Amino acid sequence: MTHAHIATWVVAIILFFVAHSLFKSGKEKPSKIVHMVLRLFYILIILTGGMLVSAIYQIDGEYIAKMILGVWTIGAMEMVLVRLKKGKPTRVFWIQFVIVVILTILLGMRLPLGIWSFS
């Protein structure tokens, strides 16, 4: 299940940048389609993450922090695209996105179900 979760994240981040470039170029219809597919991937990310957490015997604070950071990452991605679509400034949400996605990935790799360990 870990690989499915990572794969959905990778595809979602790629779709995020594709949707961003389509919104910036002014192509409204393709950008809406990509944005809706990205929202589907948000749901898949949450489902695969929930399945990973449900397989854990004892949930500690790091897992809870990872879940919060993951939802925050999704929220930052969505806010960048929505504010871009409305023509509002996105700098604050870009900064949040970069910081939170790095923290989420590092914490996810540190946890026992991650790919590698810092220990």
Side-chain angles (χ1 to χ4, degrees):
M1 188 53 56
T2 304
H3 295 301
H5 187 63
I6 293 170
T8 55
W9 266 111
V10 169
V11 172
I13 290 175
I14 291 168
L15 286 172
F16 170 70
F17 286 112
V18 169
H20 182 270
S21 66
L22 288 172
F23 275 127
K24 284 291 247 187
S25 66
K27 299 178 180 175
E28 189 167 329
K29 188 165 183 153
S31 62
K32 276 187 178 182
I33 293 170
V34 173
H35 195 186
M36 291 307 290
V37 173
L38 177 60
R39 287 176 176 161
L40 173 68
F41 271 86
Y42 293 157
I43 294 169
L44 292 174
I45 289 166
I46 291 170
L47 288 175
T48 57
M51 292 169 79
L52 282 171
V53 169
S54 68
I56 299 170
Y57 175 70
Q58 183 178 359
I59 299 175
D60 60 359
E62 288 181 328
Y63 285 105
I64 294 170
K66 170 71 167 59
M67 289 185 283
I68 291 169
L69 287 173
V71 171
W72 190 359
T73 303
I74 290 171
M77 291 167 71
E78 186 66 15
M79 288 304 295
V80 166
L81 293 178
V82 168
R83 291 183 67 90
L84 180 66
K85 183 179 177 182
K86 291 182 178 182
K88 295 182 178 179
T90 59
R91 177 175 293 206
V92 173
F93 293 104
W94 269 111
I95 294 169
Q96 283 184 28
F97 169 71
V98 170
I99 292 170
V100 174
V101 80
I102 290 170
L103 289 175
T104 305
I105 290 170
L106 290 175
L107 185 56
M109 289 181 176
R110 184 186 183 291
L111 292 171
L113 290 176
I115 296 174
W116 54 275
S117 177
F118 287 123
S119 54

